[in-house]
Amino acid sequence: MQVLNLDEKNTERMDAINKFTLMDDTFMTQVFSSDLECTEELLKIILKRDDLTVTKSVTQLTIGNLFGRSVRLDIYANDSEGKQYDIEVQQDDSGAVPERARLNSSLFDTRLTTSGSKYTEMPETYIIFITSNDVLVGGLPIYTIERTVQETGKLFNDKAHIVYVNGSYRGDDEVGWLMHDFNCVNYHEMHNAKIAARVRYFKEEPKGVADMCKTMQVIVDRERDEAEVSRSKKIAWNMWKNGEHDLDKIAETTLLSVEQVREAITPVSYTHLRAHETGRNL
């Protein structure tokens, strides 16, 4: 395997940074990370709201459930009214299927629900997918999905909203301009001055470029670690399937934690696990 020297790595990273658009989740999350103003600008345009004030914006937040299923949110934001937002960019249509939106919404609710809280206190949530293509194939710039009572046509009002933004839309309006900007390599060609300034910072300013390079390395390291864990979980599942039901032994063999072993064999085998395990591993 060829080993690149430092200069070659830096050149490759700069080439990658220069080619990035906001439809690349690596770059998009860096641009919007902790930037309340740009996140607010994004939400105001998509949701057509001028009264929205973002109070928190973080990126790459991982949420999961008890059975090992998790999603990594591109942007997680709150506003001054307590509304919660998950904003995702999806270049691959398969990553924006309705079931994916359902999963994100359900895991989002799980994270926001605390023991003893009233159901009526659950915050209003928005799952927003910005997709490269017109995934819902209706020719519209934005699709807003709400639960309704089919017999009456009235809204169910469960405070959960799903929004799809058609990244291929290029109309002469704010959404069309925003989607143009999301697909721009050159920030000089962007319509939105606030977002363009943030893109310029990470493409040209030394501090911004350095931060972008660090983020890229973190992602490379994380993907490598996740791949190794994924391979070990497959081995753990095969061991379980072939009759080894001692979680400590599986963990020792695969170099996983006992909790990771549980994740590897659930939820399909969770019932069997409880039947075979001794109390010390539960």
Side-chain angles (χ1 to χ4, degrees):
M1 180 178 66
Q2 183 182 10
V3 178
L4 298 178
N5 62 39
L6 187 59
D7 288 340
E8 288 174 321
K9 285 183 179 180
N10 287 338
T11 299
E12 282 195 354
R13 286 175 180 168
M14 282 307 305
D15 287 344
I17 290 171
N18 288 332
K19 293 175 183 177
F20 272 144
T21 71
L22 292 172
M23 287 304 300
D24 295 287
D25 59 358
T26 300
F27 190 63
M28 188 273 282
T29 54
Q30 187 74 44
V31 168
F32 286 93
S33 179
S34 302
D35 193 296
L36 303 184
E37 191 173 16
C38 281
T39 304
E40 186 175 299
E41 189 83 357
L42 182 62
L43 288 172
K44 282 182 174 179
I45 293 171
I46 292 173
L47 300 178
K48 296 181 174 61
R49 285 185 54 194
D50 292 329
D51 60 339
L52 189 151
T53 302
V54 170
T55 57
K56 180 180 181 180
S57 176
V58 299
T59 57
Q60 296 291 302
L61 174 68
T62 299
I63 58 176
N65 62 20
L66 294 175
F67 299 105
R69 185 66 176 184
S70 64
V71 295
R72 184 176 291 114
L73 309 183
D74 287 343
I75 303 176
Y76 166 58
N78 300 348
D79 72 13
S80 58
E81 297 179 353
K83 294 181 175 68
Q84 314 277 317
Y85 304 89
D86 164 29
I87 309 169
E88 306 287 322
V89 293
Q90 293 290 342
Q91 293 201 30
D92 189 343
D93 290 358
S94 64
V97 294
E99 293 83 356
R100 172 68 184 276
R102 173 184 168 185
L103 175 65
N104 278 34
S105 183
S106 62
L107 291 178
F108 212 34
D109 283 344
T110 300
R111 183 180 187 274
L112 298 172
T113 305
T114 57
S115 177
S117 62
K118 296 179 181 179
Y119 296 122
T120 54
E121 294 174 345
M122 288 185 67
E124 194 164 355
T125 62
Y126 289 81
I127 306 299
I128 300 171
F129 281 178
I130 302 173
T131 61
S132 287
N133 304 309
D134 185 7
V135 173
L136 299 186
V137 294
L140 299 174
I142 289 180
Y143 303 86
T144 304
I145 297 93
E146 307 280 355
R147 286 189 176 94
T148 59
V149 180
Q150 292 189 4
E151 288 77 9
T152 65
K154 293 183 178 179
L155 289 176
F156 188 48
N157 289 324
D158 60 352
K159 299 194 290 188
H161 315 278
I162 295 174
V163 179
Y164 277 68
V165 186
N166 175 7
S168 65
Y169 177 71
R170 295 294 184 275
D172 190 21
D173 54 24
E174 282 195 317
V175 176
W177 301 332
L178 180 66
M179 290 304 96
H180 167 272
D181 290 356
F182 260 67
N183 287 274
C184 262
V185 172
N186 188 345
Y187 67 86
H188 291 290
E189 299 174 359
M190 290 184 168
H191 295 278
N192 192 293
K194 293 177 182 177
I195 296 176
R198 187 76 170 159
V199 169
R200 185 195 68 79
Y201 174 75
F202 286 107
K203 287 203 173 194
E204 289 189 356
E205 291 292 329
K207 178 66 166 58
V209 171
D211 289 345
M212 190 68 238
C213 288
K214 289 178 183 177
T215 297
M216 291 168 70
Q217 187 59 51
V218 167
I219 290 173
V220 168
D221 293 343
R222 184 182 68 209
E223 289 177 346
R224 183 194 62 232
D225 293 342
E226 288 177 348
E228 290 177 357
V229 169
S230 179
R231 284 192 294 269
S232 295
K233 284 185 174 181
K234 288 179 181 178
I235 295 172
W237 164 243
N238 285 328
M239 291 178 68
W240 170 262
K241 185 174 62 173
N242 292 325
E244 177 56 78
H245 296 141
D246 186 319
L247 297 195
D248 288 329
K249 286 184 179 180
I250 297 176
E252 183 178 357
T253 301
T254 59
L255 301 181
L256 295 171
S257 67
V258 172
E259 184 58 38
Q260 287 173 318
V261 172
R262 285 197 180 96
E263 291 174 359
I265 64 179
T266 57
V268 176
S269 298
Y270 193 67
T271 302
H272 302 293
L273 169 64
R274 295 188 68 85
H276 285 90
E277 270 196 303
T278 61
R280 62 188 174 86
N281 282 329
L282 288 173

